[in-house]
Amino acid sequence: MSSFQLVNEYLLHFGETVGVEFEPLDAEGYTSVQRGSATVGINVLEEHGVLMFLCPIMEVPSKGSEELYRKLLELNFLKTSDAAFAIDGDMNIVYLRALRTLEGLDYEEFVDLLDTVATVADEWDDKLRAEFGE
């Protein structure tokens, strides 16, 4: 079974479990899931052998970015579980992300990572925007 098929099977099973129908991966290996205020992108990056969960949090502010960076690093220490805040320098966007190799991925790990990213993003997106947004 390909990685695309495996993740699509997990999405279908998860959707049945929570009573929501999720879109399968597109041709590039991407779909998204809405959980609370967070939209979690699910990306199968077969060329890298990685599954990536990615949730946009906010734009990096033009002022006070050093304070934001420090806050994100402090949150990464204990508050983000298996996820971590990261910054896309080209887009100037703060994301919460989690990476997992595709090899040996089981359903429980898939759901745990999706739940972790969705929960942490839902908890911190509004707080970070309120504190550091412009």
Side-chain angles (χ1 to χ4, degrees):
M1 179 181 302
S2 76
S3 300
F4 276 55
Q5 291 169 317
L6 180 69
V7 171
N8 277 330
E9 186 176 293
Y10 290 170
L11 281 166
L12 179 64
H13 182 57
F14 179 68
E16 291 169 349
T17 302
V18 298
V20 177
E21 187 173 328
F22 297 114
E23 291 293 318
L25 298 169
D26 64 17
E28 284 78 42
Y30 175 83
T31 193
S32 63
V33 172
Q34 185 73 34
R35 299 281 310 270
S37 63
T39 301
V40 180
I42 301 169
N43 303 270
V44 172
L45 306 172
E46 280 195 305
E47 66 276 8
H48 300 287
V50 171
L51 175 65
M52 180 172 63
F53 296 90
L54 191 65
C55 183
I57 301 297
M58 63 182 289
E59 289 187 32
V60 175
S62 57
K63 296 179 184 173
S65 58
E66 293 82 13
E67 291 84 6
L68 172 64
Y69 300 153
R70 180 174 180 94
K71 178 75 169 190
L72 296 176
L73 286 171
E74 289 172 355
L75 291 171
N76 281 348
F77 186 62
L78 291 176
K79 302 287 187 191
T80 58
S81 190
D82 291 328
F85 287 104
I87 296 171
D88 179 334
D90 293 335
M91 301 287 291
N92 210 34
I93 302 281
V94 175
Y95 288 94
L96 184 70
R97 69 169 178 83
L99 298 172
R100 164 66 166 83
T101 59
L102 289 161
E103 187 176 334
L105 177 70
D106 64 31
Y107 176 73
E108 289 75 21
E109 289 173 299
F110 174 84
V111 171
D112 182 56
L113 285 170
L114 176 58
D115 185 56
T116 295
V117 171
T119 300
V120 172
D122 191 38
E123 177 181 356
W124 287 101
D125 58 355
D126 293 333
K127 292 176 185 176
L128 290 168
R129 279 189 225 119
E131 186 173 349
F132 298 102
E134 296 180 308

